[in-house]
Amino acid sequence: MGFGTILKNGTKTISAVENAISSGYRLIDSAEAYGNEVDVGDGIQRGVIENRLDRSDIFVTSKVWNDHHGYRKTIQAFETSLAKLRVGYLDLYLIHWPANKKWHKDWRELNDSTWLALEDLYRAGEVRAIGVSNFSKEQLAALIEDNDIKPMVNQLEYHPGFAQKEAAKYSQDNDVLVEAWRPFGGPDSGILNNPVITQLADKYGCSPSQVVLRWLLQQKILPLARSSNPEHMLDNLDIFDFELDRDDMLQISTLPSDDGTHFDPETYHS
Ligand SMILES: NC(=O)c1ccc[n+]([C@@H]2O[C@H](COP(=O)([O-])OP(=O)(O)OC[C@H]3O[C@@H](n4cnc5c(N)ncnc54)[C@H](OP(=O)(O)O)[C@@H]3O)[C@@H](O)[C@H]2O)c1
């Protein structure tokens, strides 16, 4: 289980990250684009001290944003994230979104040059693992074909009503760990009130969020859940003592598409 950090800048972010570590989370998912790496770093520092942990007990992720694609800018973005987080090294660094065909004639070369920066940071020991986020099957295949080191992670939007099965399957078939961002579809998705999910929660004697997180884990997908509520934080970690059966897994997987806004990696631009 990972802890997501799309949280407003300020003390709430610091205390959410600190509380998450005190609740038992060890994976903290951040990004330069969230604009709160200094506060996330403060929260990590407090959580480590409060719980008498070492830096090495915490797994810290960050991501290079779209306007820093390319070798030189990526190295600079990495150094800036590291300086803001103040954690000495990163455990995982990701390309947040791919350059795509719609916006970049040279999308493949651009992704390769960003990736080369990640490879060099990895070889230099500044980051323990490197990967991508929001890469489609085609974009990931191109990156794997062109480069020496294969991405270790592909972080995808993946939740009931929006499961990116093709990209996830291709990643897993190539031993690339899939992490699920926005596992609950964000604050207003209604997933946690969906009758299929709430009925399953009654059946298993657990909460709707636990049903969703089990559905992800049982597909060997690592969920990144965010919460500012300490009870929810604990609830989301307490998912290792039950198992959804096959029919129930299928029921969730075949829920109709939600009507949320989703960004397509082949066209997304920011
Ligand atoms: N790679 C990417 O492009 C990308 C994009 C978006 C997000 N992400 C990552 O994914 C993380 C998670 O996504 P997200 O933050 O958008 O949304 P999310 O985790 O799907 O949903 C967060 C919402 O769920 C609620 N919630 C959490 N646990 C709950 C529980 N047990 N019971 C009831 N409600 C609960 C939270 O409310 P409370 O605070 O009240 O608990 C909050 O409103 C992000 O924080 C970020 O790290 C990555």
Side-chain angles (χ1 to χ4, degrees):
M1 270 300 299
F3 186 73
T5 63
I6 297 194
L7 292 154
K8 286 211 180 81
N9 231 348
T11 47
K12 282 194 175 160
T13 296
I14 301 173
S15 60
V17 173
E18 181 184 357
N19 287 339
I21 292 173
S22 297
S23 303
Y25 290 86
R26 294 294 177 262
L27 190 169
I28 308 294
D29 180 73
S30 71
E32 61 164 319
Y34 306 160
N36 61 2
E37 286 173 307
V38 170
D39 293 333
V40 170
D42 282 347
I44 292 172
Q45 217 167 58
R46 289 191 193 186
V48 165
I49 293 169
E50 171 81 17
N51 296 283
R52 298 170 185 232
L53 299 170
D54 292 325
R55 159 67 185 89
S56 58
D57 293 321
I58 309 293
F59 187 100
V60 184
T61 301
S62 191
K63 317 179 187 89
V64 54
W65 187 240
N66 306 349
D67 50 3
H68 293 139
H69 284 165
Y71 187 90
R72 195 178 49 81
K73 285 189 191 169
T74 296
I75 299 280
Q76 278 169 0
F78 175 86
E79 298 300 348
T80 304
S81 286
L82 199 56
K84 287 184 173 173
L85 287 161
R86 289 153 290 131
V87 286
Y89 61 88
L90 288 187
D91 295 279
L92 176 64
Y93 198 48
L94 304 176
I95 304 178
H96 206 143
W97 282 89
N100 59 47
K101 263 184 210 154
K102 181 167 192 289
W103 295 96
H104 299 277
K105 267 197 198 125
D106 62 344
W107 64 275
R108 189 163 175 156
E109 291 74 18
L110 189 50
N111 286 332
D112 287 344
S113 122
T114 307
W115 184 251
L116 185 60
L118 267 62
E119 284 192 353
D120 283 353
L121 290 166
Y122 175 73
R123 287 194 188 97
E126 294 215 54
V127 55
R128 302 286 161 94
I130 50 177
V132 297
S133 177
N134 300 301
F135 271 54
S136 68
K137 175 182 172 179
E138 185 189 359
Q139 290 159 340
L140 182 59
L143 202 70
I144 291 176
E145 192 181 314
D146 292 352
N147 292 284
D148 293 339
I149 301 178
K150 195 166 60 171
M152 298 158 198
V153 165
N154 190 8
Q155 188 180 115
L156 297 169
E157 181 174 10
Y158 199 103
H159 51 75
F162 190 73
Q164 301 194 67
K165 295 208 174 107
E166 188 183 59
K169 182 172 185 320
Y170 183 79
S171 301
Q172 291 183 330
D173 286 349
N174 284 279
D175 291 328
V176 177
L177 176 75
V178 176
E179 293 183 340
W181 63 259
R182 200 154 285 171
F184 309 129
D188 309 311
S189 72
I191 288 173
L192 299 180
N193 300 318
N194 181 293
V196 170
I197 304 290
T198 54
Q199 277 160 24
L200 289 174
D202 288 344
K203 173 176 169 182
Y204 288 93
C206 66
S207 68
S209 66
Q210 291 172 332
V211 170
V212 171
L213 297 172
R214 273 310 303 186
W215 173 75
L216 289 164
L217 278 186
Q218 288 178 218
Q219 296 171 75
K220 301 198 185 327
I221 292 177
L222 187 152
L224 301 167
R226 167 181 54 99
S227 176
S228 303
N229 176 329
E231 281 176 23
H232 291 170
M233 290 177 189
L234 286 171
D235 190 49
N236 295 345
L237 281 177
D238 186 16
I239 51 172
F240 297 100
D241 60 354
F242 72 102
E243 191 167 334
L244 303 175
D245 69 32
R246 265 175 72 128
D247 289 349
D248 294 334
M249 287 291 291
L250 192 65
Q251 234 196 119
I252 304 173
S253 297
T254 50
L255 279 174
S257 294
D258 64 9
D259 51 8
T261 308
H262 305 292
F263 302 111
D264 180 351
E266 301 291 353
T267 57
Y268 181 65
H269 185 64
S270 71

